[in-house]
Amino acid sequence: MPHGAAKGYKTDWQAIWNVLLISTKLGLTSFGGPIAHLGYFHNEYVRRQKWIDERSYADLVALCQFLPGPASSQVGIGIGVMRAGMLGGIAAWIGFTWPSVIALVLFAFGIGGLDLAHAGWIHGLKLVAVAIVAQAMISMGQKLAPDRSRATIALGTAAIALLWPSSVGQVILIAAAGLIGTLLYRKAESGGSPQIRIPITRMAATICLVLFFALLLGLPLLRNLYPLPGITLFDSFYRAGSLVFGGGHVVLPLLEKEVVPTGWISKGAFLAGYGAAQAVPGPLFTFAAYLGAVRGGWLGAAVATLAIFLPAFLLVVGVLPFWAAIRKSPKIQGALAGVNAAVVGLLLCAFYDPIWTSTIVAPADFAAAVVLFLMLVFWKMPPWVVVAAGMVAGWVLAG
């Protein structure tokens, strides 16, 4: 069943296990930040696994761009929910998150003293990212920006995003693209709304939304009444995950205000952890695991990680059952046409900076990326073969 189990379903443990395995593979190999992660997800979930169709994936991406929290993690959670219900969403989050969580906790404990940012095999994985994101960018561009108007939205978004590199700018660009799409595209051009099976009841979704706001408002009160270390830690990271649009880079100022002035961690240790977070795959929000480990070891890392991602999970699960109905509106479909084109532009922007600018620094890098792209797109080689080849290429180039 490509889009999840039916209502009243018996738990499909095989589907949950598959979600965990595929998301773990993505968690081990997805470099380049949240927009680049969407390229990896597209390649795996849409092209290879065919768990979700092109339009539904694009609409899910558009929805998550409007929700606070880590957009790429929310997309992964949403696909997990569609595939295998609530437990599938949890499995997708665990798989995509645990590799970088463990790496950053080990770094916090002083085990990760190696200069990962300049390791040859890490550079090779970044070369693979160039090939994979290029493939996703071309594929999504052909389907989501096929005409002059949407191509203009996509390329205009990319140009402005490069000249105005801020999370606020991205949100404004997406909103503007949605408005333009509402004016330009109606039901006649949208091609209808593909059906998505969401194995979550509206009652369960409502409970998740109520819980999201209850924790957001209640945790600060609980913290004042009972200023225990665990409650304080959970509140700080839950609020950071609830109030941030635009991904991991935006959450840094909030986290810094929570942990540096209070003496939890020094400014130097904070920046060192941030540098380590940039060198590992997966969501940048796992930086919380590093901060939690510095504060309270493995338990602190677990509390901080759960707290910062919990809002994203509650929002996605809470919104999806209602979103499936709302997106049938002609105006919503028109807005999605514009937003999806803007997402292609943001992917193009991320392809240039940071993926291209931080990876292709010599002619040999370009040559290696071209060969990896050829292997992936034209030779149709399995992604794991391309990843292995990229790691070897990076090691050779570093030598």
Side-chain angles (χ1 to χ4, degrees), residues 75 108 115 122 124 132 160-161 172 195 223 284 301 316 343 376 387:
V75 170
D115 185 11
I122 289 287
I132 289 179
I160 297 173
I172 292 175
Q195 296 298 312
R223 177 177 180 172
L284 192 57
V316 169
V343 169
L376 182 69
V387 169

Side-chain angles (χ1 to χ4, degrees), residues 130-300:
V130 172
I132 289 179
V133 175
Q135 180 196 38
M137 182 176 60
I138 294 170
S139 176
M140 292 179 69
Q142 289 173 339
K143 294 177 175 64
L144 303 179
D147 52 55
R148 183 173 62 183
S149 298
R150 280 178 284 184
T152 300
I153 293 173
L155 295 177
T157 298
I160 297 173
L162 284 169
L163 296 175
W164 186 18
S166 74
S167 59
V168 175
Q170 286 191 8
V171 173
I172 292 175
L173 286 170
I174 290 172
L179 178 60
I180 294 171
T182 302
L183 298 175
L184 292 180
Y185 296 99
R186 300 291 179 180
K187 189 173 183 179
E189 293 204 42
S190 67
S193 179
Q195 296 298 312
I196 302 178
R197 301 181 70 179
I198 308 295
I200 302 292
T201 66
R202 291 196 174 190
M203 176 61 72
T206 301
I207 291 172
C208 286
L209 292 176
V210 170
L211 184 57
F212 168 79
F213 288 106
L215 289 172
L216 183 61
L217 299 175
L219 281 172
L221 299 177
L222 188 63
R223 177 177 180 172
N224 289 331
L225 291 174
Y226 305 100
L228 301 175
I231 295 176
T232 300
L233 187 68
F234 197 93
D235 172 56
S236 296
F237 285 91
Y238 185 86
R239 277 189 290 111
S242 301
L243 302 175
V244 168
F245 291 85
H249 295 281
V250 188
V251 82
L252 290 176
L254 284 178
L255 291 179
E256 184 176 12
K257 291 178 182 177
E258 291 287 343
V259 301
V260 175
T262 56
W264 286 11
I265 187 173
S266 68
K267 178 79 169 181
F270 182 90
L271 294 176
Y274 176 54
Q278 300 280 359
V280 299
L284 192 57
F285 265 53
T286 54
F287 180 47
Y290 167 83
L291 298 175
V294 171
R295 174 69 171 172
W298 281 104
L299 180 59

